[in-house]
Amino acid sequence: MTTTIPQVPVNPQDPTSNPTSTPAEQMHSIGQPLPRIDGLAKVTGQAIYSFDHALPDMVFGTILSATIPHGQVVRVDHRRALALPGVLRVYSCENQPPTPPRVEGGAPYIWFDREIRYDGQDVAMVVATTQAIADEAVGLITVDVAPAPFVATVRAAMAPDAPQAGETPNVEDPGSPYGEPAQYTRGDVAAGLLEAAVTITAAYDLPSQIHNPWEAHVTLATWDGDCVTVYDSVQYPIGARNFIANALGIPSEQVRVIAEYVGGGFGSKLSTKTQAPLAALAARHLERPVRVRLTRAQMHRNARHRPQTLHHLRLGATSAGILTAIDHEVWSGGAPKAQYYESAASTSRYLYACPNLRSAHWRVRVNQNPPGSMRAPGEQQSQFALECALDELAHALRIDPITLRQRNQASTHAVSGKPFSRNSIPTLLDLGSQRIGWDQRAQPPGSQRDGALWRGIGCAVAFYPLHMARAEGRVRLQADGSVLVESSGVDLGTGTYTILAQAAADGLGTTPADITVHLGDTTLPVAPIAGGSMLAASVTPAVYSAALDARQQLIDAALDLPDGLFAGCSASDLVIGAGRVTHRRDAGRAITFAELLRLRGTTEIVGQCNFAADDLPMEYGNFGAHFAEVTVDVETGIVRVPRFVAVHDSGRVLNPTTYRSQIRGGIIWGLSAVLLEASHMDGHRGRITNANLVEYLVPTALDIGEIDVTWLDEPDAGANALGMKSAGEVGITGAAPAIANAIFNATGLRLRHPPFQPPRVLMALRAAGITA
């Protein structure tokens, strides 16, 4: 159903502005700014991350990485490493461990490949009694290689005479690995461009970027008979379990993965990395627990990344600003033998109404570590290019950029043909423009100057589609009065522990203080990946429904008591809390869970729900309007963002504290992506030159100004049982283009190759003849 959007946004600083749920829903915990229930454990060191686990007799593994981008391993000499006291074993392609065929079928897992496809690829691993000895020993291994021609950057790989990165052509159509084709056309783009009163052509070059979660990839493996327990820092424990099982050639039932706390992931930990099966393999051979971790440099060179993407756009519109054509073509960095490509022109297909559209993706294979998902993969790059191009079109048309976007809003998803449940972008743009003071922006661009500081304001739309997947929720009411919520899903620091406690509390009719949440264990109920903003939207409704089921069982048991304690009562007369069932108006009529379960002859009541992500009749999305105020110092090239405004619509907001944190985090990363972050590849050596956190720039607290986050809090009823959507990805999607567009408003210069670090900005200013 389509719901009505309130015209006044929620301000988390003003609790009275938050619309309350209807009495029928009786949601007393959901919607409240409950502090993170795991916060105390984290700040006092009681939260045990994968890196923190230690077991008796534990030993340590260090991986040796390739130092050439392409070639063959001719020989690996382990002898000096094995002679070092404390070294227990060395693995390489010279002693490739035999592995039976995968349980799921296919060729056996290759532990160490003789063919080197990128600098940083695993070549060998040392296991030793201490981490220091293992680190020293890898330096004693001699690797003889036969280098081969390589290509390390997207532009170089696209050259006609470029060497081939792998076994297939460098530039290729990826096909449809994600279910939708890489090439998409509707209408007649050429005719739409001819029809247009104004057209613009723009090219954008977006760099490769690295996830850099605070906790590196790390695995501790220990065996008990034929079964292995793996402590892994991963976003999808069930996927990690299956990967490890297939690498070892054993049934997945013999692998248990535990990830109670995960120190960030941002997509880099959607799948476990090679250190996990290597740790399990070594632990089996040595019959001792083995821990293997990646170094920070290896996190850059061998742990996925957001690939470089080159964008070419052509837009056409009538004089009134109605789009007649969009042509968005993208070349995305890939890797030899890797299927992944960045769907970085996908959002252009449906975010705005346009009858004539072409969206084309090309995978460009280079000799670099395989790319992978990074916060809002595809959407972040797609919306940067599209939103900047729309700003260019608005300037060419002499139309307000907000007006241009509002005139072209889509009521139907052009690819699926389904109507959007609602499209709140016009409302969000109006509200955001009021909060930022849009009418005070520089008109014309470059006209607001305070000495060397030039000011500007820019805007962009933020969008991320709703993703849901199968999830099971389990809620246990136990005889001691405790309530356990269980899920194999993980909390990356996003607040999953907290919102599941809130959902269970409202489903049961109790408080979050009565709830204990267990997460991150493959022995617990099925949950999807903590990525794609999928986990919260899938598991939270499942847990809420499981709590309703448990509550109904408990109420039914109380009403059926043989002693008639609640004789003549209905379910609405009873309340649950503090381990008791109590009459709403007569506190003397009460019974503890323990007594109720004893009389019932059971030890617990288990509420369950198997949430199925059905094919919904509408398209559901997370919408936002982003506005950035920037200053550009034309003497130094330094760009700062003193103020940022974001207004969002994500359906029902489960917890204002965690929601606001998610949106702010996305905005901060968007700022970082456009002003600071880039992985620099030396095209002559095929090696990343800034594989550290000194030269790979990320923001500090001093780089972040005021961030004003507000939202519409209206359930999107058809999405799921709670009418909620998600917040993890959408915050990053509009931030970077809003800042880029603000730089144009401040200076009149259109910068198209982020990051806009001071040297690059200063060169552009001087090239345009701009000085203080």
Side-chain angles (χ1 to χ4, degrees):
M1 60 179 290
T2 303
T3 55
T4 302
I5 301 171
Q7 296 302 304
V8 179
V10 174
N11 184 342
Q13 307 303 325
D14 177 14
T16 63
S17 71
N18 190 346
T20 58
S21 302
T22 62
E25 293 174 304
Q26 295 184 357
M27 290 191 176
H28 305 293
S29 179
I30 288 175
Q32 298 304 309
L34 184 70
R36 295 169 189 259
I37 63 174
D38 54 335
L40 183 62
K42 288 182 175 179
V43 299
T44 58
Q46 298 175 65
I48 305 300
Y49 291 80
S50 296
F51 196 89
D52 298 324
H53 282 284
L55 296 173
D57 209 26
M58 182 173 75
V59 294
F60 304 84
T62 297
I63 294 172
L64 176 66
S65 300
T67 57
I68 64 169
H70 196 197
Q72 291 285 327
V73 174
V74 176
R75 184 176 68 98
V76 180
D77 188 345
H78 309 152
R79 289 173 295 179
R80 292 175 61 214
L82 284 169
L84 187 68
V87 171
L88 303 174
R89 189 147 184 168
V90 178
Y91 297 91
S92 76
C93 59
E94 300 293 357
N95 58 353
Q96 192 82 255
T99 305
R102 299 187 186 194
V103 174
E104 67 179 14
Y109 183 78
I110 298 176
W111 297 94
F112 297 99
D113 200 336
R114 284 194 180 273
E115 182 183 359
I116 297 173
R117 301 178 184 87
Y118 58 90
D119 175 85
Q121 180 177 313
D122 295 351
V123 172
M125 183 179 76
V126 172
V127 183
T129 52
T130 70
Q131 189 70 67
I133 293 173
D135 292 346
E136 181 183 354
V138 294
L140 301 176
I141 297 173
T142 300
V143 182
D144 296 331
V145 297
F150 66 90
V151 60
T153 66
V154 172
R155 288 193 185 278
M158 294 169 63
D161 58 347
Q164 199 162 288
E167 298 172 359
T168 60
N170 288 348
V171 182
E172 59 186 358
D173 181 344
S176 307
Y178 309 141
E180 62 179 42
Q183 318 297 329
Y184 172 84
T185 302
R186 67 171 178 267
D188 186 332
V189 170
L193 290 170
L194 287 173
E195 175 191 347
V198 173
T199 63
I200 63 104
T201 299
Y204 305 92
D205 183 344
L206 307 187
S208 172
Q209 296 172 336
I210 308 298
H211 304 78
N212 273 314
W214 193 244
E215 181 188 28
H217 293 279
V218 61
T219 303
L220 170 62
T222 183
W223 288 80
D224 182 5
D226 293 333
C227 296
V228 61
T229 297
V230 177
Y231 300 92
D232 197 12
S233 184
V234 69
Q235 293 176 238
Y236 186 29
I238 290 175
R241 176 197 66 188
N242 297 341
F243 178 76
I244 295 166
N246 278 292
L248 297 172
I250 62 176
S252 60
E253 293 78 13
Q254 291 176 216
V255 180
R256 180 185 182 188
V257 174
I258 298 174
E260 286 186 281
Y261 293 95
V262 180
F266 316 117
S268 71
K269 298 176 182 176
L270 289 179
S271 59
T272 192
K273 301 301 177 286
T274 53
Q275 89 285 341
L278 283 170
L281 176 78
R284 182 166 62 180
H285 288 165
L286 297 171
E287 298 182 346
R288 299 172 69 173
V290 175
R291 186 174 80 182
V292 184
R293 57 94 174 98
L294 299 189
T295 64
R296 184 58 60 181
Q298 288 170 330
M299 293 288 288
H300 284 252
R301 297 165 61 202
N302 195 21
R304 311 296 185 188
H305 62 282
R306 194 194 298 279
Q308 179 187 12
T309 54
L310 307 179
H311 300 250
H312 184 270
L313 282 96
R314 294 185 297 166
L315 304 184
T318 68
S319 58
I322 304 302
L323 289 169
T324 60
I326 297 176
D327 185 9
H328 189 174
E329 191 165 15
V330 174
W331 293 263
S332 168
K337 293 193 173 182
Q339 184 185 55
Y340 185 89
Y341 80 95
E342 198 81 2
S343 54
S346 57
T347 313
S348 297
R349 299 177 179 183
Y350 56 79
L351 188 56
Y352 295 98
C354 183
N356 306 298
L357 183 139
R358 173 177 171 263
S359 164
H361 299 88
W362 305 98
R363 179 170 49 217
V364 183
R365 296 195 185 277
V366 297
N367 294 110
Q368 188 177 356
N369 59 309
S373 296
M374 183 169 169
R375 201 170 193 170
E379 281 81 8
Q380 194 270 345
Q381 302 99 312
S382 179
Q383 286 172 63
F384 179 88
L386 179 61
E387 290 298 307
C388 288
L390 279 171
D391 207 69
E392 297 198 36
L393 180 62
H395 183 69
L397 286 164
R398 300 181 183 276
I399 290 178
D400 187 311
I402 289 178
T403 302
L404 179 65
R405 289 170 170 83
Q406 291 175 326
R407 287 180 181 173
N408 290 282
Q409 284 310 301
S411 59
T412 299
H413 191 292
V415 177
S416 71
K418 297 177 183 179
F420 283 107
S421 62
R422 65 186 187 219
N423 188 334
S424 50
I425 289 175
T427 298
L428 300 176
L429 286 168
D430 283 341
L431 293 169
S433 68
Q434 295 168 22
R435 299 185 76 87
I436 196 72
W438 180 253
D439 57 352
Q440 301 301 311
R441 72 190 186 283
Q443 299 185 66
S447 61
Q448 285 194 7
R449 307 177 185 182
D450 182 6
L453 287 182
W454 295 18
R455 295 184 177 273
I457 296 175
C459 75
V461 164
F463 177 81
Y464 195 79
L466 173 64
H467 296 304
M468 296 185 292
R470 174 176 171 253
E472 297 175 2
R474 187 161 67 208
V475 176
R476 297 180 180 273
L477 282 70
Q478 301 188 307
D480 62 0
S482 63
V483 180
L484 302 182
V485 173
E486 298 175 326
S487 171
S488 65
V490 300
D491 189 329
L492 302 174
T494 54
T496 306
Y497 277 105
T498 305
I499 62 172
L500 292 186
Q502 291 178 273
D506 276 347
L508 284 169
T510 183
T511 68
D514 297 326
I515 310 293
T516 299
V517 181
H518 290 171
L519 295 176
D521 189 327
T522 52
T523 64
L524 300 178
V526 170
I529 58 174
S533 295
M534 187 182 302
L535 185 74
S538 305
V539 176
T540 313
V543 165
Y544 176 69
S545 297
L548 289 174
D549 177 40
R551 173 185 172 83
Q552 190 60 52
Q553 292 183 53
L554 193 64
I555 295 294
D556 289 345
L559 293 175
D560 289 341
L561 285 173
D563 61 3
L565 177 63
F566 298 116
C569 296
S570 65
S572 61
D573 294 324
L574 305 184
V575 294
I576 296 172
R580 302 165 63 86
V581 180
T582 307
H583 193 285
R584 187 179 301 277
R585 293 176 297 278
D586 184 355
R589 300 170 69 181
I591 187 170
T592 64
F593 288 177
E595 181 64 11
L596 180 57
L597 293 175
R598 185 188 68 78
L599 293 173
R600 192 173 183 244
T602 57
T603 58
E604 65 178 0
I605 287 176
V606 181
Q608 300 194 79
C609 172
N610 189 344
F611 173 80
D614 297 326
D615 185 24
L616 299 172
M618 292 185 175
E619 292 286 348
Y620 295 84
N622 300 276
F623 298 96
H626 285 185
F627 294 82
E629 176 186 332
V630 306
T631 63
V632 180
D633 189 324
V634 298
E635 286 186 345
T636 65
I638 294 174
V639 178
R640 297 204 179 276
V641 186
R643 194 159 63 105
F644 198 100
V645 169
V647 188
H648 278 260
D649 174 15
S650 298
R652 185 193 300 278
V653 170
L654 303 183
N655 183 315
T657 299
T658 58
Y659 179 83
R660 184 170 182 267
S661 177
Q662 282 288 282
I663 300 299
R664 282 176 55 88
I667 291 166
I668 291 169
W669 204 341
L671 178 151
S672 184
V674 74
L675 297 183
L676 297 171
E677 288 190 52
S679 179
H680 299 304
M681 174 63 73
D682 181 341
H684 299 290
R685 298 171 60 214
R687 168 171 282 203
I688 295 171
T689 60
N690 61 333
N692 55 69
L693 287 176
V694 175
E695 297 166 291
Y696 185 93
L697 302 182
V698 295
T700 68
L702 294 178
D703 295 308
I704 307 303
E706 175 191 349
I707 301 178
D708 174 8
V709 179
T710 57
W711 58 87
L712 310 177
D713 194 1
E714 179 76 6
D716 209 343
N720 48 54
L722 292 172
M724 52 91 57
K725 291 183 279 192
S726 52
E729 323 279 325
V730 68
I732 194 175
T733 61
I739 292 169
N741 293 335
I743 292 172
F744 169 76
N745 184 246
T747 64
L749 291 182
R750 190 67 69 175
L751 304 181
R752 300 187 179 92
H753 184 189
F756 305 136
Q757 295 177 0
R760 182 168 290 171
V761 175
L762 199 59
M763 288 177 63
L765 291 168
R766 295 300 178 264
I770 296 176
T771 57

